[in-house]
Every structure is written in structure tokens, then in C-alpha cells.
Amino acid sequence: MAADSPFVVDPDWLQQRLGQPGLSVVDASWYLPAHKRGARGEYDAAHIPGAVFLDQDAVSDPESELPHTLPSPRHFSRFVGTLGISADDTIVVYDGPGFFSAPRAWWMFRIMGVYQVYVLDGGFDNWKAEGRPVTAEPTKIAPCIFHAQFDESRVVSLAEMRRIVENRESQIADARGPGRFAGTEPEPRAGIRSGHMPGASNIPVTALSRDGKLLPVPELRELFENAGIDLARPVVTSCGSGVTAAALTLALETLGHGDSRLYDGSWTEWGGLTDTPVETGNGEPAKP
């Protein structure tokens, strides 16, 4: 496993265990339109032997109007059960670049009661670059029963987020890029205001890793502290639609921070409303 994080495994660790009973390997890749990459197409063309594809859009709550909304425990259990994933498995999730969308799957499994779940350091891009085994062969799946034990306390609702922004009872860490955070770049989704929640700190998800690998603990700590995050106080993580916020959660837990929660609606929900306070980079309220 990767030395600096109990939630990360290195490629050697995974390669040595491929094919072992009780190991589930999960491609949880998802991309923004700007990436110009297709997660499912890339998986079909090449994936780690034995890996299954977890569609981040399809696993979301089908009744929500927001993207990537956390599904009910029942929906999640049915979905991952059809992929042959058991709550008793050791689960390794990965994405293309490393530490972009894979931590979202890591977070979902954890709040559904699985703790033997890890993220592959370096992602699939690094795995391929090192000449490790890949295949285009479809993975044979034996559906199973997944028993979820949902921890609702790790998820922040819109009503709670309103209170947090007003009372500043928790710090807010936003994983979006600095342009979107400051309001100098438009949101990728139509109808969403630009800017950030009052009092939020910006820690872009891309800053958490180097060459697809999670930063060492001292550098992670410096990153959060330089962004104004007090690691002795509660933190709520957020992003565009709840995906990359989970990478901040993983980083915080790697630092031993045990009081973080994730705002699942994230900026798509907050910025899509007309009565939520929004600030731009200079602190001035953004226009509706």
C-alpha cells in the first residue's frame, strides 16, 4: 500500500493480488466535457484485468434532478450487486488520471458501510504507462447481494449548508478550479451562477496529486493550511456536482482529520438557486 495514506494502494500491491478471491477492482472513471475523454469507451478499449465499470451517472439517484446525487442505500446495493461487488470484498477503485473521480466511488462505498476500499495511486494512465497488464476482454460478473449500512451523518443537505454558510459552524473546502471558484470562468452547466459560497476556501482537486499520485502527508497538510483550513475544526467538502469533493475528503482523512462531511448537492445545487448567497473572488456578491 502507499506509505502516506491508509486509503491508497500502489500499482505493485494491486498487480500482485489480481485474480485473488474477494478482490473487486472498479473503474470509476468520469470526466468533464473539457477533458474530451469518454469513460465507458476507454474502459471497453482497455482496463485492468478483472475490473468492472462503475458508471458514476447511472449509480446516482434516478429521481434527483441534480447530477451525481447520492443514491438510496437500496439503489446503491442493487447497482453494485449487479457488478458482483460484495460489502465483504476488498475493493480497489481507479480512474484515468488518478484522484479525480475514483475518490467519489471510494466515499460512496465507505458511507455505505465498506471500509476495505482503496484508491489506486497514479490511476489507470500511470498503470498503462508502466506497462502493467490491461485487457479489452469483458469481465465475467457473478451478481451478488450487497448489504449496505448507510451512514447518513457524513452527508450534508442543502438546509444544513444554508445554516453552515450563515453561522460558519464548519469550514468549507471547494475542489473546483480557481477560475470557477473566483467567478472568472463560467460553470460548465447552463443556468449555474459563478463564484463560491461565502467563507469557502479553494483547494483545487488537481492540487492534491502529482503525476496522478497523492501528495505526501506534509505537502497535503501545507496545502490545506495555506488555503486557510484549520485541521482542528470541522470541514465540509464541496465541488461542482459532488464528485471531486470526495478527493478532498480522502485527503482530509489521510491527514487524520475525522470531522469532515460532503455537501452532495455541491455547486450545481447552490449556484443553481436564486436565493443562496454567492461571492466572487473579490468577495462581492455575484449577480443572479
Side-chain angles (χ1 to χ4, degrees), residues 27 38-47 53 135-138:
D27 185 332
R40 180 71 207 208
E42 289 189 13
Y43 169 83
D44 290 340
H47 52 265
F53 182 72
T135 183
E137 291 294 319

Side-chain angles (χ1 to χ4, degrees), residues 40-65:
R40 180 71 207 208
E42 289 189 13
Y43 169 83
D44 290 340
H47 52 265
I48 295 175
V52 296
F53 182 72
L54 179 69
D55 188 324
Q56 297 265 15
D57 294 311
V59 74
S60 301
D61 182 357
E63 298 181 3
S64 175
E65 295 181 356

Side-chain angles (χ1 to χ4, degrees), residues 145-164:
I145 302 297
F146 183 96
H147 297 284
Q149 295 182 333
F150 180 43
D151 183 0
E152 189 176 4
S153 68
R154 302 301 300 274
V155 187
V156 176
S157 67
L158 173 62
E160 289 179 287
M161 204 68 228
R162 288 181 185 274
R163 188 183 70 240
I164 289 167

Side-chain angles (χ1 to χ4, degrees), residues 96-259:
F99 297 98
F100 185 73
S101 60
R104 171 70 181 192
W106 169 87
W107 177 76
M108 286 194 291
F109 278 115
R110 281 174 62 83
I111 65 169
M112 293 296 177
V114 180
Y115 290 95
Q116 297 297 318
V117 56
Y118 309 96
V119 174
L120 175 64
D121 211 20
F124 189 54
D125 294 349
N126 181 68
W127 178 278
K128 289 188 295 182
E130 293 180 353
R132 297 180 186 273
V134 301
T135 183
E137 291 294 319
T139 297
K140 295 181 180 179
I141 295 175
C144 65
I145 302 297
F146 183 96
H147 297 284
Q149 295 182 333
F150 180 43
D151 183 0
E152 189 176 4
S153 68
R154 302 301 300 274
V155 187
V156 176
S157 67
L158 173 62
E160 289 179 287
M161 204 68 228
R162 288 181 185 274
R163 188 183 70 240
I164 289 167
V165 168
E166 182 178 354
N167 299 333
R168 306 294 171 95
E169 59 195 62
S170 290
Q171 302 166 100
I172 305 167
D174 190 323
R176 290 175 302 148
R180 292 171 62 189
F181 179 86
T184 58
E185 294 179 10
E187 285 296 304
R189 295 179 177 87
I192 309 298
R193 291 176 290 167
S194 297
H196 58 267
M197 287 170 263
S201 298
N202 187 210
I203 306 175
V205 65
T206 52
L208 299 175
S209 59
R210 183 181 300 115
D211 298 324
K213 299 180 180 180
L214 189 67
L215 294 179
V217 161
E219 292 185 45
L220 282 178
R221 181 174 291 110
E222 183 179 13
L223 182 67
F224 278 87
E225 290 176 348
N226 287 346
I229 296 293
D230 181 351
L231 294 171
R233 295 183 54 226
V235 179
V236 173
T237 61
S238 180
C239 60
S241 63
V243 174
T244 58
L248 296 183
T249 301
L250 185 150
L252 285 165
E253 294 199 23
T254 293
L255 293 172
H257 187 280
D259 192 4

